[in-house]
Amino acid sequence: MVVAEDSNEWTVSALYTYPVKSCQGVRLHESQLTSTGLEYDRLWMLVDARSKRFVTQRQLPRLALVQVTINQAEQLLELSADSMPPLQLPLHPQPADLHDSVSVRVWYDMVEARRCGDAADSWVTQLVGRPTWLLYKDPQKPRLVSRYVPQNCKDAPQSGFADVFPLHVTTEPSLDDVNSHVPRPLSQQHFRPNIVLRSPQGKPYAEEEWTRVEVGPKRWSLFFTSRTPRCSMPNVDLETGQMSEDKEPMATMRTFRCVDPGKPSFVCFGMQAAPQTAGNFIKVGDSISVCERGFHSLTEPL
């Protein structure tokens, strides 16, 4: 670990939460950091009713077209898709709103969840075209992150249905560099970050050397824990909901973004992150001070 201030000025340029895993995100101006990341992030998820496997854009690219709205006035989460009536769910489900308990595997973790009821299951079944459940992360049964956890995290990191860590961070200079290589321009949404950072003089992939930054006027600590290995989801066309036939941009990214020394065959973009403690706020425009640098290597599965 090297303690050093970054001479470049970094700020938060965008915030996104993804209430339903693999569906469209919601852009935020400000969010409180909950025990599982930004507010509402990946607390709902589609699961195949037969196999109990979670459903993402990897298997069903048209999930990219499912619009998600956070209706604070009526305390509702609203899902909409073409030719289907909208689905409305309680934004803060109470025990009476939730149904059967289900254990579901999210990569290497077993996660406890609750079904959202017959109406929700019917809606996602019609959407997917086979029996599917809509699950809500059981708030009474935390999912602790056990790998790559910084020793000085005051609160043990938790996740909802995110792949691993509660936060995913990307930067504008890094995306600009990717776009200088790939055949078609990509947006940040192709990589589904929670936090996007900007710096006029920032270098591409500078974030891959950071281990701790401080955020905003309160200078609360955010730990960068590992690079983010990428799956095929960036290949999904966000306008059509179809997987690209030429396997781009991942085919090109494989030529220059297999950079992690621990997993040299993995295409990486973005950083996994965890706050030192829950309860702080982050907003667009917040300053980011790079305080510690170090070495990242995926020596074990995320």
Side-chain angles (χ1 to χ4, degrees), residues 52-89:
K52 308 300 188 295
R53 294 181 181 274
F54 64 95
V55 180
T56 73
Q57 291 179 32
R58 286 180 289 273
Q59 305 88 24
L60 196 72
R62 67 177 180 276
L63 287 180
L65 304 181
V66 177
Q67 298 180 338
V68 180
T69 303
I70 296 172
N71 185 335
Q72 292 284 8
E74 298 185 35
Q75 290 291 284
L76 294 172
L77 185 77
E78 300 176 348
L79 278 61
S80 58
D82 285 348
S83 72
M84 293 179 62
L87 173 67
Q88 295 184 329
L89 301 162

Side-chain angles (χ1 to χ4, degrees), residues 149-164:
V149 177
Q151 292 183 349
N152 45 356
C153 255
K154 290 183 179 179
D155 295 343
Q158 299 182 33
S159 286
F161 292 126
D163 282 355
V164 193

